Amino acid sequence: MKISGVIFDKDGTLMDFNKFWVPAVQGVIRRIFADYGIPETDIFLEKVLNSIGVVHGKVLSSGSFAWKPYCDIALDLKPSLESMTDGKIINESELAEKLVRYFEEASYDDNKVIAPTADLQSVMRLLQSNNIHLGVVTTDTYKATVECLKRLQIEQYITFLAADLMPYAENSEPMPLKPDGRIISRAVKQWSIKPEEVLVVGDAPNDMKFAHNGGSVAVGVLSGGSSKEQLQPSADYILDSVSEIPDLICKLGQEGR
């Protein structure tokens, strides 16, 4: 099997999800509480975090925070927040805007830990030297994603990027959101390759769905929030981390001869 491109998920795949996002989401929710006059109690904080899949200091792969864009996370937060505001109605668009702004500010905070899941520079350098096209597709915002890739020191290897709130030309269509397979269509068109020549690498079942929606190979990694049992039903291959991607590509190439 010939592999000519790799599309990576970001959180849990390239960067350690819990080390960065658990402290970040706790800080953002506290800011949200202050904005809406909600008492900052442990019970309220736990209830709101649980509503988006952050439980006991871990991000659940099935929870909305692990894979949804901020507009949909706002929808999931709204009922639990409103239950604490004495009947005050929270505007969904306003809440989504707050989430985007506060999380982007967290991404730029030098005190926040952005830890890689592997020696990413070595992996990217090896793949690029073998003429493998590299991309990143995430439901995080474009600005936060670019900042993350810079801090991971791998932005120079990425030739295709898809994220929420992507800038786009006036006469072009906005970028779809994962798991829409049209994203893969755009990547392979840019790279002049076929969808079946692309590995889509992610830590969540939503990433596997995305791969299959686009006609690509689904590779699950255990470096994020999903277990092997959660990934097995939809993954074509399961690896410990992205460090094993070069070996998988070599193996697939040998099998295709």
Side-chain angles (χ1 to χ4, degrees):
M1 179 190 298
K2 179 183 178 183
I3 300 299
S4 304
V6 180
I7 292 176
F8 296 96
D9 167 55
K10 178 170 71 72
D11 301 316
T13 302
L14 296 177
M15 63 172 279
D16 188 301
F17 201 113
N18 289 306
K19 282 185 180 179
F20 177 82
W21 285 112
V22 171
V25 70
Q26 290 171 343
V28 167
I29 294 302
R30 289 188 175 95
R31 293 182 69 177
I32 296 291
F33 279 2
D35 289 344
Y36 293 111
I38 297 172
E40 189 185 308
T41 68
D42 290 342
I43 292 176
F44 280 1
L45 183 61
E46 182 180 13
K47 180 179 179 180
V48 170
L49 290 173
N50 287 354
S51 73
I52 55 174
V54 183
V55 180
H56 302 309
K58 297 286 185 181
V59 179
L60 304 182
S61 62
S62 58
S64 61
F65 188 65
W67 61 277
K68 290 185 179 180
Y70 289 121
C71 58
D72 291 336
I73 294 173
L75 288 174
D76 293 336
L77 278 175
K78 177 179 162 70
S80 59
L81 291 173
E82 287 181 341
S83 71
M84 305 168 187
T85 59
D86 296 325
K88 180 180 179 181
I89 302 300
I90 291 176
N91 182 280
E92 297 163 8
S93 297
E94 179 186 84
L95 178 57
E97 289 173 2
K98 289 178 182 292
L99 291 174
V100 168
R101 185 167 72 253
Y102 294 166
F103 277 113
E104 285 186 347
E105 289 173 1
S107 296
Y108 282 90
D109 186 347
D110 290 335
N111 294 321
K112 290 289 190 301
V113 175
I114 298 184
T117 57
D119 184 351
L120 299 181
Q121 293 183 58
S122 294
V123 172
M124 300 291 181
R125 192 182 306 116
L126 178 58
L127 293 173
Q128 190 181 70
S129 69
N130 284 280
N131 299 314
I132 303 294
H133 300 281
L134 303 173
V136 170
V137 176
T138 177
T139 53
D140 199 2
T141 65
Y142 173 78
K143 286 176 62 178
T145 300
V146 170
E147 177 64 19
C148 175
L149 296 177
K150 287 180 179 178
R151 291 176 65 175
L152 290 171
Q153 299 182 350
I154 58 171
E155 77 278 9
Q156 67 270 29
Y157 300 105
I158 305 304
T159 58
F160 179 85
L161 176 61
D164 194 13
L165 304 179
M166 283 275 293
Y168 60 95
E170 184 177 345
N171 296 324
S172 64
E173 295 183 0
M175 182 68 74
L177 289 174
K178 190 167 60 174
D180 194 320
R182 291 177 296 170
I183 301 173
I184 295 175
S185 298
R186 290 197 186 189
V188 299
K189 182 179 180 180
Q190 177 182 313
W191 292 337
S192 298
I193 63 175
K194 300 175 182 178
E196 58 267 28
E197 296 175 354
V198 174
L199 299 182
V200 173
V201 186
D203 70 311
N206 190 56
D207 298 310
M208 307 302 98
K209 181 179 180 181
F210 168 53
H212 292 147
N213 285 347
S216 296
V217 181
V219 180
V221 287
L222 302 176
S223 53
S226 298
S227 66
K228 187 174 183 179
E229 290 71 27
Q230 289 172 313
L231 291 171
Q232 269 182 333
S234 52
D236 298 310
Y237 302 93
I238 297 178
L239 308 176
D240 286 333
S241 76
V242 297
S243 63
E244 298 178 19
I245 292 295
D247 287 341
L248 175 61
I249 292 175
C250 182
K251 177 184 176 182
L252 293 175
Q254 291 173 347
E255 289 176 354
R257 290 176 184 173

